[in-house]
Amino acid sequence: MLTRNCLSLLLWVLFHGGLLTPLHPQAQEILEAQPRENVVPVPGRRSSTQRVKRGWVWNQFFVLEEYMGSEPQYVGKLHSDLDKGVGTVKYTLSGDGAGTVFTIDETTGDIHAIRSLDREEKPFYTLRAQAVDVDTKKPLEPESEFIIKVQDINDNEPKFLDGPYIASVPEMSPVGAYVLQVKATDADDPTYGNSARVVYSILQGQPYFSIDPKTGVIRTALPNMDREVKEQYQVLIQAKDMGGQLGGLAGTTTVNITLTDVNDNPPRFPKSIFHLKVPETSHVGSAIGRIRAVDPDFGKNAEIEYNIVPGDGGNLFDIMTDEYTQEGVIKLKKPLDFETKKAYTFKVEASNLHLDHRFHSVGPFKDTATVKINVLDMDEPPVFSKPMYTMEVYEDTPVGTIIGAVTAQDLDAGSSSVRYFMDWKNDVDSYFTIDATEGTIATNELLDRESTAQYNFSIIASKVSNPLLTSKVNVIINVLDVNEFPPEISVPYETSVCENAKPGQVIQTITAADKDLSPAGQRFSFKLSSEASNKPNFTVHDYRNNTAGIETRRNGYSRRQQELYFLPVVIEDSSYPVQSSTNTLTIRVCRCDSDGTIQSCNVEAIFLPVGLSTGALIAILLCIVILLVIVVLYVALRRQKKKDTLMTSKEDIRDNVIHYDDEGGGEEDTQAFDIGALRNPKVIEDNKIRRDIKPDTLRFTRHRPPAEDNTDIRDFINQRLQENDVDPSAPPYDSLATYAYEGNGSVAESLSSIDSLTTEADQDYDYLSDWGPRFKILADMFGEESYNPDKVT
């Protein structure tokens, strides 16, 4: 850098005779390309224009970035031809960074950079220069714009912006297989020098991989790299600028490369023979063992399929692949029996499911191993000779009859005796018993097929040596039928015949039913009983297909002569012993039309007029009902009218209130109401007739005994009440009557003060004190007060 600054200073000395001499050769070339002349008015001369040499022209300056000197970095010099060096010209600077980044000496025009610059931060600055007369402050030259470019130095190393990288390549790939391309970025100026020219190289990862120095493409460098040997590789890549020359800056990144798996390895059994031990009691379908072939590949390339090679015992077993562990699971297809066969041997083949055609030449991708299975003897329960027993017995078989037997054996090497017993589940099992030693089944009760036709129960067999080892078998006993029930006529038991029936006419087809379980081909025969064969009314025609027809034997039947006929029919079955029964069929004579359609079978219809239809009968009955309703309504209205004439108000079972529309003269008015009952009984006229009611007939006057003067009012009222209760002339309803008495003719005289002739002061109530404690309050109120002088005011 110092050498470059000295060279710049030397060039300036050589070319300082111009107005402005650039420091860089490139600037000189640009300066020469600019117009060199300008029309400038010269003061004090003629007005005509003249061409003068331009003295205020430049294009750009250069300044080094990252300058670290102690003095400000010299950039260049401004000079005008009008400056005679006497201090009359002043130079000014404006624009980007003027005063903060760049300064100018106003007298000499020297420009300096006062701080270090970074091209990557700002590559150039645009400024404006001006030459001004010191005295007049007027511009001596037109203002001109120029650029100061920051000249690049190699101060940035290459960087891998996308690192670190992850890549993969299939194993066993050939040399030169593409892996990945890396790219480094240098922030220096790519147009100036070699600061940004990057070269790639591998620092770590050889000899497995290589990289192109210019493009950064990574490729495999070794053939047949095996994932099973090494799967992960870490490659260190370097990018160096200055074309990789000495002094260039470098940056590194890491590339993690994984070899992906291919199916280049066949499965292999770790041993040639597998030994398994299986209990003979193993259930069918259960897993009895596992074998495994090893495949160093990964994922689907390691998936293995197992198959049993046909051979000794292979048909008793099956094998399948566990998709999680890739093991071969051997399962049992048929039951094992130690007493029958103690060992089995077969071969198992393991092969890959997904093959790679590139490695077919390596050999078959499968392996074979031998499996030997030893059956272990186990203490097993007894085994019945049949999976199920079916027996038959006739109903009503005597109790204790043996109907069959079950058999179970202990098949183990050390054979043990067997005991039998019934598995009691319900009361039905009590119909049979079993011999514990022989296994014979006998009846325990009488059987009835019509009640239960089949029995289903279980028999359990256990070993005497180990009673916990048991086995169970189902036993079905079918109860056979015995012909014990005679056949009977199926419904209906009643039929009808028309009065106008002809001889040989079938009036009913009958069938038979038998409660017994009729065997195939059961036949029923029908015939008349011997006592009915001689009667000429009906006959039975057996069709010999378990049906028969009831036929007429004469022309016409009369309901007036006989309404019902009873026909005894004998039915026999064909089983042994033969059972028969006599069934009586009721035949009713009915009136029919000419087509044989029944119109009426009732007895009452005989006495109805001939030709009177059912609709006419209904109409007659309806008229009778209407007439009865009218009569009932008429009688009810008559009764209601008579009752209204007897009573002017609504009847009440307790009182009869009689209304009077005239106004009387008070208590003494006896024309509207007889108040004789309120007077002294002694002055009541004996021949006085009651006027509180309207008598239907004249009645005799009742004589009442006079009440004593000192008779209590309550006794008097009760007496009068009893008299009215036993009076035969009293009306059949209650009459409002007053039995209290007071007034002028009364012994107690009037209790009212209205008719009193004397004043309150003339009254003497001292006699109230003699009436007892009940009248003490009245005596105190109306009695004579004692004189008290203290109360006189």
Side-chain angles (χ1 to χ4, degrees):
M1 184 179 293
L2 182 61
T3 304
R4 185 176 297 177
N5 292 338
C6 295
L7 181 60
S8 300
L9 181 60
L10 179 61
L11 292 175
W12 179 78
V13 171
L14 293 175
F15 298 101
H16 72 281
L19 293 177
L20 180 64
T21 303
L23 298 178
H24 199 277
Q26 294 178 356
Q28 179 65 29
E29 295 174 0
I30 298 174
L31 179 62
E32 292 176 355
Q34 298 295 330
R36 303 294 299 177
E37 296 179 349
N38 191 10
V39 178
V40 179
V42 179
R45 297 183 181 181
R46 58 183 179 181
S47 58
S48 60
T49 60
Q50 61 180 357
R51 185 176 299 275
V52 296
K53 183 180 180 181
R54 181 178 176 86
W56 191 251
V57 178
W58 63 86
N59 188 5
Q60 60 183 359
F61 293 137
F62 290 89
V63 60
L64 293 175
E65 69 169 335
E66 304 292 345
Y67 174 73
M68 304 299 293
S70 58
E71 297 295 332
Q73 182 181 183
Y74 181 76
V75 178
K77 183 181 182 64
L78 297 179
H79 183 74
S80 175
D81 292 343
L82 300 180
D83 184 4
K84 303 303 182 180
V86 293
T88 58
V89 178
K90 177 183 178 181
Y91 297 97
T92 61
L93 191 65
S94 62
D96 290 342
T100 57
V101 180
F102 303 100
T103 61
I104 188 170
D105 189 319
E106 296 180 352
T107 303
T108 62
D110 293 331
I111 301 174
H112 291 83
I114 59 177
R115 66 179 181 88
S116 178
L117 303 179
D118 187 1
R119 189 198 68 84
E120 287 73 33
E121 179 181 349
K122 190 173 178 66
F124 63 90
Y125 296 85
T126 303
L127 296 99
R128 294 181 298 277
Q130 181 71 63
V132 182
D133 188 279
V134 175
D135 297 331
T136 62
K137 307 298 182 183
K138 294 182 178 181
L140 298 177
E141 298 283 353
E143 186 180 51
S144 181
E145 184 177 82
F146 65 97
I147 295 174
I148 298 178
K149 283 190 175 182
V150 181
Q151 188 173 351
D152 181 55
I153 63 173
N154 189 19
D155 59 342
N156 292 281
E157 73 277 4
K159 293 182 180 180
F160 293 93
L161 301 181
D162 298 330
Y165 296 89
I166 298 176
S168 62
V169 63
E171 64 173 336
M172 310 302 291
S173 295
V175 176
Y178 176 85
V179 179
L180 181 70
Q181 183 179 12
V182 297
K183 182 176 180 59
T185 302
D186 196 326
D188 292 328
D189 189 359
T191 64
Y192 180 74
N194 295 325
S195 298
R197 190 163 69 89
V198 179
V199 175
Y200 300 95
S201 62
I202 294 180
L203 300 181
Q204 176 184 330
Q206 295 174 340
Y208 305 104
F209 302 95
S210 63
I211 189 170
D212 190 298
K214 295 182 179 180
T215 62
V217 175
I218 301 174
R219 300 181 183 274
T220 58
L222 285 180
N224 302 326
M225 286 191 293
D226 193 356
R227 185 196 68 85
E228 288 72 33
V229 176
K230 186 176 182 180
E231 183 178 6
Q232 300 286 341
Y233 294 87
Q234 190 176 70
V235 181
L236 185 61
I237 304 297
Q238 174 184 268
K240 188 174 183 181
D241 59 10
M242 298 297 293
Q245 297 178 5
L246 184 64
L249 302 179
T252 60
T253 188
T254 301
V255 180
N256 295 313
I257 302 176
T258 302
L259 295 182
T260 58
D261 185 65
V262 297
N263 191 11
D264 58 337
N265 295 284
R268 291 286 182 265
F269 284 106
K271 53 185 179 180
S272 60
I273 300 177
F274 291 88
H275 293 276
L276 299 177
K277 295 181 180 181
V278 182
E280 64 174 337
T281 55
S282 300
H283 298 288
V284 174
S286 61
I288 60 175
R290 288 172 176 257
I291 62 174
R292 183 178 182 180
V294 178
D295 191 336
D297 291 327
F298 178 76
K300 69 176 184 178
N301 296 321
E303 293 181 0
I304 302 175
E305 181 182 18
Y306 297 90
N307 293 287
I308 294 178
V309 178
D312 181 24
N315 57 344
L316 270 73
F317 305 95
D318 193 9
I319 190 169
M320 60 178 297
T321 304
D322 188 332
E323 60 180 357
Y324 298 103
T325 62
Q326 294 301 312
E327 293 178 317
V329 182
I330 301 176
K331 292 188 176 183
L332 189 62
K333 291 175 59 177
K334 296 180 180 180
L336 299 177
D337 187 10
F338 175 81
E339 288 72 25
T340 302
K341 192 171 184 178
K342 299 178 177 60
Y344 298 89
T345 302
F346 53 90
K347 291 184 178 182
V348 176
E349 182 182 80
S351 59
N352 282 136
L353 289 176
H354 307 282
L355 300 178
D356 194 331
H357 62 87
R358 296 178 298 173
F359 305 101
H360 285 175
S361 59
V362 177
F365 277 73
K366 58 184 178 180
D367 195 14
T368 305
T370 301
V371 178
K372 290 187 176 182
I373 295 179
N374 294 322
V375 181
L376 301 179
D377 185 24
M378 303 296 293
D379 196 5
E380 298 177 286
V383 178
F384 283 96
S385 60
K386 295 181 180 180
M388 184 181 66
Y389 291 86
T390 302
M391 304 176 185
E392 294 180 346
V393 60
Y394 281 99
E395 60 179 337
D396 297 333
T397 299
V399 175
T401 302
I402 297 176
I403 59 177
V406 296
T407 304
Q409 293 181 349
D410 181 16
L411 302 180
D412 292 333
S415 179
S416 172
S417 58
V418 179
R419 291 292 180 266
Y420 305 94
F421 57 93
M422 298 188 67
D423 185 14
W424 296 95
K425 292 183 178 180
N426 49 54
D427 297 337
V428 177
D429 299 334
S430 64
Y431 284 88
F432 305 94
T433 59
I434 186 170
D435 186 274
T437 304
E438 301 297 333
T440 57
I441 300 175
T443 59
N444 196 36
E445 296 182 15
L446 289 177
L447 305 178
D448 184 11
R449 191 205 63 81
E450 287 70 31
S451 176
T452 304
Q454 187 182 78
Y455 294 89
N456 190 343
F457 54 90
S458 299
I459 299 296
I460 298 176
S462 65
K463 296 174 63 172
V464 175
S465 61
N466 188 357
L468 297 179
L469 293 177
T470 62
S471 58
K472 184 184 298 186
V473 68
N474 286 336
V475 177
I476 297 176
I477 297 180
N478 295 317
V479 180
L480 302 180
D481 185 53
V482 174
N483 192 25
E484 55 183 341
F485 293 98
E488 297 178 351
I489 291 181
S490 302
V491 291
Y493 287 93
E494 182 175 340
T495 185
S496 60
V497 63
C498 294
E499 289 182 315
N500 55 358
K502 304 298 181 182
Q505 181 177 346
V506 178
I507 63 173
Q508 180 67 49
T509 300
I510 59 175
T511 59
D514 196 339
K515 294 182 181 179
D516 294 318
L517 182 60
S518 301
Q522 173 79 296
R523 292 291 302 274
F524 297 105
S525 61
F526 303 85
K527 64 180 180 179
L528 284 177
S529 64
S530 58
E531 63 270 14
S533 300
N534 300 326
K535 296 181 180 180
N537 296 318
F538 301 95
T539 186
V540 175
H541 184 195
D542 191 351
Y543 297 141
R544 304 206 179 271
N545 59 354
N546 291 340
T547 62
I550 307 300
E551 297 180 355
T552 59
R553 296 183 61 183
R554 63 187 180 88
N555 189 5
Y557 298 86
S558 175
R559 286 185 295 168
R560 296 181 182 273
Q561 295 179 0
Q562 186 174 350
E563 179 189 5
L564 298 176
Y565 292 89
F566 300 97
L567 184 66
V569 179
V570 178
I571 306 176
E572 293 182 353
D573 58 19
S574 59
S575 300
Y576 180 83
V578 176
Q579 299 288 344
S580 65
S581 65
T582 301
N583 301 263
T584 301
L585 185 65
T586 302
I587 302 175
R588 185 181 299 274
V589 180
C590 300
R591 184 169 60 85
C592 306
D593 57 11
S594 58
D595 297 332
T597 303
I598 297 175
Q599 292 183 344
S600 175
C601 292
N602 298 329
V603 180
E604 293 79 0
I606 301 175
F607 305 99
L608 291 177
V610 179
L612 191 59
S613 64
T614 305
L617 292 176
I618 295 174
I620 293 173
L621 292 176
L622 184 60
C623 292
I624 294 173
V625 171
I626 294 174
L627 289 176
L628 290 176
V629 171
I630 293 174
V631 171
V632 171
L633 292 177
Y634 177 76
V635 173
L637 292 175
R638 293 283 296 175
R639 289 183 178 179
Q640 183 67 27
K641 183 176 181 181
K642 182 177 179 181
K643 186 175 181 180
D644 291 342
T645 58
L646 293 177
M647 299 177 59
T648 59
S649 63
K650 293 183 179 179
E651 183 177 1
D652 190 281
I653 62 173
R654 297 168 297 175
D655 298 325
N656 181 23
V657 181
I658 301 175
H659 299 272
Y660 298 93
D661 295 332
D662 58 328
E663 183 177 357
E667 294 180 355
E668 298 297 334
D669 187 358
T670 59
Q671 298 300 322
F673 188 83
D674 184 10
I675 61 174
L678 300 178
R679 301 184 182 274
N680 191 338
K682 293 182 179 181
V683 299
I684 297 177
E685 298 180 357
D686 294 339
N687 58 352
K688 192 74 173 181
I689 299 175
R690 293 179 60 182
R691 293 185 296 173
D692 55 343
I693 61 173
K694 182 178 180 181
D696 293 337
T697 58
L698 184 62
R699 63 177 181 175
F700 294 97
T701 305
R702 292 178 297 171
H703 296 280
R704 303 179 180 87
E708 297 297 331
D709 294 344
N710 57 354
T711 302
D712 189 81
I713 298 176
R714 182 184 301 172
D715 295 337
F716 175 76
I717 294 175
N718 292 334
Q719 179 182 354
R720 296 298 299 274
L721 180 61
Q722 293 177 2
E723 291 176 0
N724 282 272
D725 289 339
V726 299
D727 188 1
S729 62
Y733 50 85
D734 293 338
S735 177
L736 181 61
T738 303
Y739 302 102
Y741 61 96
E742 68 169 333
N744 294 332
S746 175
V747 177
E749 298 182 350
S750 177
L751 298 179
S752 175
S753 61
I754 297 176
D755 296 336
S756 300
L757 300 178
T758 60
T759 63
E760 184 180 356
D762 296 335
Q763 297 292 329
D764 184 8
Y765 298 100
D766 293 337
Y767 61 90
L768 295 175
S769 299
D770 300 334
W771 287 10
R774 293 184 178 180
F775 298 92
K776 185 179 184 301
I777 297 177
L778 291 176
D780 293 341
M781 294 173 60
F782 295 97
E784 183 178 359
E785 295 183 358
S786 60
Y787 175 74
N788 189 355
D790 296 334
K791 294 183 181 180
V792 178
T793 57

